[in-house]
Amino acid sequence: MKNMKHLSPRIRVQDFLSDFVKGKSVLDVGCVEDGALAENADTWLHKNLAKTAGSLVGIDILESDVEILRKKGYNMVCGDAMTASLGQTFDVIVLGEIIEHVVDPGALLRNMRRHLNKDGILVLTTPHPFFFFNVLITMFSKEKRFFHPDHTALFCPWTITGMLRKTGYTLEECYYFTRSRKLRSLLSILHLPVYGVIAMSMMAIAKPTASEG
């Protein structure tokens, strides 16, 4: 697709997003990630967003983990992002590795659209199903378990574009990237881009469609 790009293997996606939200009001959806202990990792997206965002709110359905992190000073609410009403809008909404977990991704995207400012931006990341390692496992593994057991859907650049279009967004940019430090280091040494089957993940950046607003 013509607007498909790639992040340099020298850039972590957390750093890219931290720079992207600088000075903006931000909603981080699925902020807890794998549990409250994720706070200890330098890859925890919420902590990276907090470094630069003008204001930051997190939402997650994991009540006990949200409570632990709130006691540590993080501005978070417990709720279902498919239906929650936060009573405010944001410059940027980040859906970090969350759309593939929900039972109704369309409801999630429509509800998030209601929480965007007029010129707001939605950023979502999701695993890339055509990453070569996933394809090899699908072809040769008896268990065929490259996917997370909590995932409900797989998205490629074309299907995520269609999902965004049908829920009131226009795709601005789409990036391939990888979270693996080892793979990023290898690609940097070889001067290769994180592209196509080499990419473990992808990122879509979209705006509300003007005719919908």
Side-chain angles (χ1 to χ4, degrees):
M1 49 194 299
K2 63 181 181 180
N3 51 357
M4 199 72 203
K5 302 179 179 181
H6 64 86
L7 292 188
S8 166
R10 295 182 175 85
I11 300 176
R12 299 189 316 159
V13 67
Q14 295 90 347
D15 297 329
F16 176 91
L17 291 173
S18 179
D19 184 63
F20 189 87
V21 304
K22 187 175 182 180
K24 297 180 173 66
S25 60
V26 182
L27 175 63
D28 180 17
V29 181
C31 55
V32 169
E33 295 186 14
D34 294 327
L37 291 177
E39 181 204 12
N40 299 322
D42 65 355
T43 55
W44 189 40
L45 180 58
H46 193 79
K47 183 162 56 178
N48 282 272
L49 296 177
K51 294 177 183 178
T52 59
S55 63
L56 178 63
V57 178
I59 182 172
D60 204 291
I61 202 167
L62 300 176
E63 185 175 2
S64 60
D65 295 288
V66 166
E67 187 59 29
I68 290 170
L69 292 167
R70 287 181 64 183
K71 289 179 179 178
K72 293 186 176 182
Y74 293 99
N75 183 17
M76 295 182 176
V77 297
C78 183
D80 186 337
M82 290 188 291
T83 57
S85 179
L86 301 178
Q88 64 183 112
T89 57
F90 302 87
D91 298 326
V92 181
I93 295 178
V94 179
L95 305 177
E97 310 292 309
I98 189 68
I99 195 168
E100 67 276 6
H101 289 267
V102 301
V103 297
D104 191 344
L108 172 65
L109 292 172
R110 289 188 183 96
N111 194 36
M112 290 302 100
R113 194 183 183 286
R114 290 191 285 269
H115 287 83
L116 273 176
N117 289 333
K118 181 180 178 181
D119 297 318
I121 299 173
L122 178 85
V123 182
L124 69 84
T125 66
T126 190
H128 181 219
F130 303 136
F131 175 50
F132 77 93
F133 187 67
N134 295 344
V135 174
L136 290 176
I137 292 177
T138 300
M139 292 173 63
F140 300 111
S141 171
K142 292 181 180 180
E143 295 188 5
K144 296 179 173 36
R145 286 294 301 276
F146 72 83
F147 57 89
H148 192 291
D150 191 47
H151 287 183
T152 61
L154 298 174
F155 292 96
C156 70
W158 294 269
T159 55
I160 200 65
T161 299
M163 178 67 75
L164 288 166
R165 182 181 68 253
K166 291 181 178 182
T167 52
Y169 296 88
T170 299
L171 181 70
E172 297 286 312
E173 295 177 312
C174 198
Y175 290 85
Y176 286 125
F177 69 95
T178 181
R179 297 179 181 277
S180 169
R181 293 181 181 180
K182 291 182 179 179
L183 181 55
R184 287 193 291 108
S185 295
L186 177 61
L187 293 174
S188 294
I189 292 171
L190 298 175
H191 301 287
L192 292 175
V194 184
Y195 206 82
V197 296
I198 298 177
M200 296 176 67
S201 303
M202 62 181 193
M203 173 170 52
I205 299 174
K207 291 184 177 181
T209 303
S211 60
E212 299 283 339

